[in-house]
Amino acid sequence: MPTPDSQLLPLLTRIADALDRLAPPPARPVDVAAADAFVWHADPDRLDPVPVVNRVDIGLLQGIERARDILLENTRQFAAGLPANNALLWGSRGMGKSSLVKAVHAQVTAEKPGTLALVEIHREDIPTLPRLLHLLKGQERRFILFCDDLSFDHDDSHYKSLKAVLEGGVEGRPDNVVFYATSNRRHLMPRDMIENERSTAINPAEAVEEKVSLSDRFGLWLGFHNCDQPTFFAMVEGYARRFGLDVPAEQLHAEAVEWSVTRGSRSGRVAWQFIQDLAGRLGKPLR
């Protein structure tokens, strides 16, 4: 006659097999010397090297000189093993927020080869940040974690995970990691979300404070604002000189204005799109 233990054994075995199938596969070994830039992917956890980063030279970024200098100095301090702040680059679309992060990384990497790596993490993978930090902690190399276009919508609790990772967790942020993010929103939350908390909460001040306190975890707030026409012209002229687009200044300005009017805005992105169109019409490659 079978004993209770012998009857339970097959069931327990099946349960154990099912749990093994549900468990995420182990992370691949991390070769942090494989490249100067990586993209973090979850499920399975891995760092994919990026041999060539899509970026522009730091000298081509016009109209954001103060933000450039502050972020560059912060990054140099970090690469040198000195204290540095998390940075939030917020403001107008197309004004060079993500371009600046990548350009600053390139500049510091050129100054101190091999010391600094850029790791891009997608917004939807923010809950996996603790696993990424576990992989990077203890490495000799230093890492900028970069999340482009970071924001949170209604009923999105991922911001709580990010708050804990940036400053408030028990372990805290590893010394060899700093977090840079770009966003169109200063507080990473839509205004109506904050206003809704203010109007419905029992204690409105505390509810709003809890929502906006995420941005307080960033020691650097760098604002990017719409550019005026002289700055727009400076952007276009800088690109034209860099890529050898021999067009008289008056013609260049006139065509750039017409292009910006059709787009309804002036920004670094619009300037670059105009230069791509101009180079194509002139038969000149952009390299």
Side-chain angles (χ1 to χ4, degrees), residues 142 186 261:
R142 304 181 77 77
R186 184 175 183 179
V261 169

Side-chain angles (χ1 to χ4, degrees), residues 6-278:
S6 63
Q7 291 175 324
L8 282 175
L9 185 59
L11 177 59
L12 293 174
T13 302
R14 289 197 298 273
I15 291 174
D17 291 341
L19 290 175
D20 287 339
R21 289 192 297 270
L22 290 173
R28 298 179 187 175
V30 180
D31 180 8
V32 297
D36 287 324
F38 301 85
V39 176
W40 168 251
H41 294 285
D43 194 24
D45 293 352
R46 66 191 190 278
L47 281 172
D48 287 346
V50 180
V52 180
V53 178
N54 178 28
R55 58 188 167 206
V56 299
D57 187 84
I58 196 168
L60 292 175
L61 299 177
Q62 301 288 329
I64 55 173
E65 288 80 8
R66 178 167 172 74
R68 176 200 65 199
D69 293 346
I70 293 173
L71 190 66
L72 184 56
E73 182 59 28
N74 189 70
T75 308
R76 282 171 172 158
Q77 291 172 195
F78 176 64
L82 299 172
N85 277 303
N86 301 312
L88 174 62
L89 290 70
W90 67 274
S92 301
R93 294 177 292 110
M95 280 303 295
K97 297 185 293 294
S98 61
S99 295
L100 180 59
V101 172
K102 291 181 284 188
V104 162
H105 167 254
Q107 179 69 25
V108 176
T109 297
E111 295 170 358
K112 292 180 173 292
T115 61
L116 189 63
L118 183 70
V119 179
E120 182 176 20
I121 180 170
H122 301 130
R123 193 201 88 61
E124 58 269 21
D125 290 329
I126 287 295
T128 70
L129 259 175
R131 304 207 300 267
L132 173 57
L133 294 181
H134 179 73
L135 289 177
L136 301 181
K137 184 177 181 180
Q139 299 282 351
E140 291 187 11
R141 201 170 194 187
R142 304 181 77 77
F143 300 90
I144 298 173
L145 302 191
F146 171 48
C147 186
D148 192 23
D149 197 20
L150 178 63
S151 62
F152 300 96
D153 297 319
H154 297 277
D155 303 320
D156 190 340
S157 61
H158 290 173
Y159 74 93
K160 295 181 180 179
S161 301
L162 182 56
K163 282 173 61 176
V165 166
L166 290 179
E167 295 292 348
V170 174
E171 289 186 287
R173 173 169 51 91
D175 291 338
N176 67 329
V177 173
V178 73
F179 192 89
Y180 289 178
T182 70
S183 178
N184 296 332
R185 301 166 177 168
R186 184 175 183 179
H187 290 296
L188 304 175
M189 310 284 181
R191 181 176 296 274
D192 61 337
M193 182 178 177
I194 296 174
E195 293 300 328
N196 182 64
E197 289 286 351
R198 182 177 284 116
S199 63
T200 60
I202 295 175
N203 189 322
E206 288 184 0
V208 172
E209 183 73 15
E210 198 269 341
K211 292 293 185 186
V212 303
S213 62
L214 171 59
S215 56
D216 291 340
R217 264 63 176 183
F218 295 89
L220 293 182
W221 283 13
L222 302 177
F224 291 69
H225 309 287
N226 291 322
C227 68
D228 55 19
Q229 187 158 287
T231 302
F232 183 66
F233 286 161
M235 294 172 178
V236 170
E237 291 168 359
Y239 283 132
R241 284 194 302 270
R242 173 64 178 271
F243 297 110
L245 306 181
D246 189 15
V247 177
E250 185 176 341
Q251 178 186 345
L252 184 69
H253 289 179
E255 292 188 15
V257 168
E258 182 180 359
W259 183 272
S260 68
V261 169
T262 63
R263 295 300 307 271
S265 66
R266 290 188 296 256
S267 70
R269 181 178 296 140
V270 171
W272 174 245
Q273 291 167 345
F274 165 69
I275 288 296
Q276 290 185 98
D277 177 77
L278 178 62

